[in-house]
């Protein structure tokens, strides 16, 4: 699978990114290589392979799930420009 420059141009337009012709070509090539790598990885038979939490098979340092910050919701709601029913109201950006 590959992505041509027209698709990159359309994605850039949706993301509101301005790309020149050279960048379009570069991103098209890079994204195509990424998709090819994903296709190669999908072809690998992983039957019987246990999923790992980390690719280096090392233990993760976990911290205790404890509250460290006090609840300041009321304080932040008071200084917010607009709130309603405990939610922050923001201007509509997508029509």
């Amino acid at each position: 699978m590959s992505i041509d420059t027209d698709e990159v141009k359309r994605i850039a337009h949706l993301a509101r990114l301005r790309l020149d012709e050279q960048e379009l070509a570069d991103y098209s090539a890079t994204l195509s290589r990424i998709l090819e790598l994903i296709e190669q990885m999908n072809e690998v038979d992983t039957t019987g392979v246990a999923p790992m939490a980390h690719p280096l098979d090392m233990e993760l340092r976990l911290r205790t799930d404890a509250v460290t910050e006090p609840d300041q919701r009321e304080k932040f709601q008071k200084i917010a420009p607009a709130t309603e029913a405990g939610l922050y109201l923001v201007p509509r950006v997508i029509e």
Side-chain angles (χ1 to χ4, degrees):
M1 180 177 195
S2 64
I3 293 182
D4 61 19
T5 54
D6 289 335
E7 288 176 287
V8 174
K9 191 181 294 185
R10 188 168 53 89
I11 294 167
H13 173 73
L14 292 172
R16 300 295 188 247
L17 297 174
R18 185 180 320 160
L19 302 175
D20 62 29
E21 291 300 319
Q22 183 60 46
E23 290 172 321
L24 288 172
D26 291 345
Y27 283 120
S28 174
T30 302
L31 292 172
S32 294
R33 284 197 304 270
I34 291 171
L35 291 175
E36 289 171 12
L37 176 63
I38 292 170
E39 286 178 2
Q40 290 176 4
M41 292 172 67
N42 283 335
E43 293 174 2
V44 174
D45 183 16
T46 57
T47 305
V49 177
M52 298 168 45
H54 194 279
L56 299 179
D57 197 23
M58 56 192 282
E59 286 194 30
L60 299 176
R61 290 187 284 172
L62 301 176
R63 60 180 168 80
T64 57
D65 188 16
V67 176
T68 59
E69 300 290 330
D71 181 12
Q72 300 183 22
R73 181 179 185 171
E74 294 299 322
K75 176 183 172 186
F76 294 130
Q77 293 265 310
K78 286 180 182 175
I79 61 172
T83 61
E84 182 179 309
L87 304 173
Y88 296 96
L89 301 178
V90 296
R92 177 179 286 208
V93 293
I94 299 175
E95 295 180 21

